[in-house]
Amino acid sequence: MIVGSVTRRLRRLQLVPEVMVTRMCGAMGAAAAGQSPLAWRERFGPMPAGEALAWAYTTWLVADLLDYLGEEGGQRDRFSDRVVELLLTVDPEQGGGL
């Protein structure tokens, strides 16, 4: 269910080339089968620069779907807000950081 839903949304958004949509579907399928998506991906050789964007969008869509399906909505947004808050208040000169 998750792989199909995320793949359809990624395709519908048209933010990455179709070949990347197919690759992300395969990576999610590997994860669903208990395999490492990275190990699955590395079998295809070096990663082109544009593929990083496909991974980012796919991760965002998976998180969004899981947030929607979760018992308490908004967890993803609260986490993102907290990370931004930390980034804006931590002074790297003082040795702070995540």
Side-chain angles (χ1 to χ4, degrees), residues 90-98:
V90 171
D91 183 359
E93 300 287 324
Q94 300 277 332
L98 296 176

Side-chain angles (χ1 to χ4, degrees), residues 2-17:
I2 290 175
V3 173
S5 296
V6 171
T7 301
R8 283 189 297 278
R9 286 184 67 196
L10 188 60
R11 182 173 284 124
R12 195 172 41 239
L13 289 172
Q14 298 181 347
L15 296 170
V16 297

Side-chain angles (χ1 to χ4, degrees), residues 40-89:
W40 177 88
R41 169 55 190 91
E42 287 176 338
R43 295 188 319 211
F44 299 100
M47 187 181 300
E51 189 172 336
L53 191 57
W55 282 96
Y57 282 128
T58 302
T59 303
W60 166 64
L61 289 171
V62 167
D64 188 53
L65 180 61
L66 293 176
D67 189 50
Y68 172 77
L69 295 173
E71 291 181 17
E72 182 183 343
Q75 293 178 2
R76 175 186 48 88
D77 291 335
R78 285 191 293 279
F79 174 75
S80 298
D81 290 347
R82 181 70 179 130
V83 169
V84 170
E85 180 184 317
L86 285 171
L87 291 172
L88 293 175
T89 59

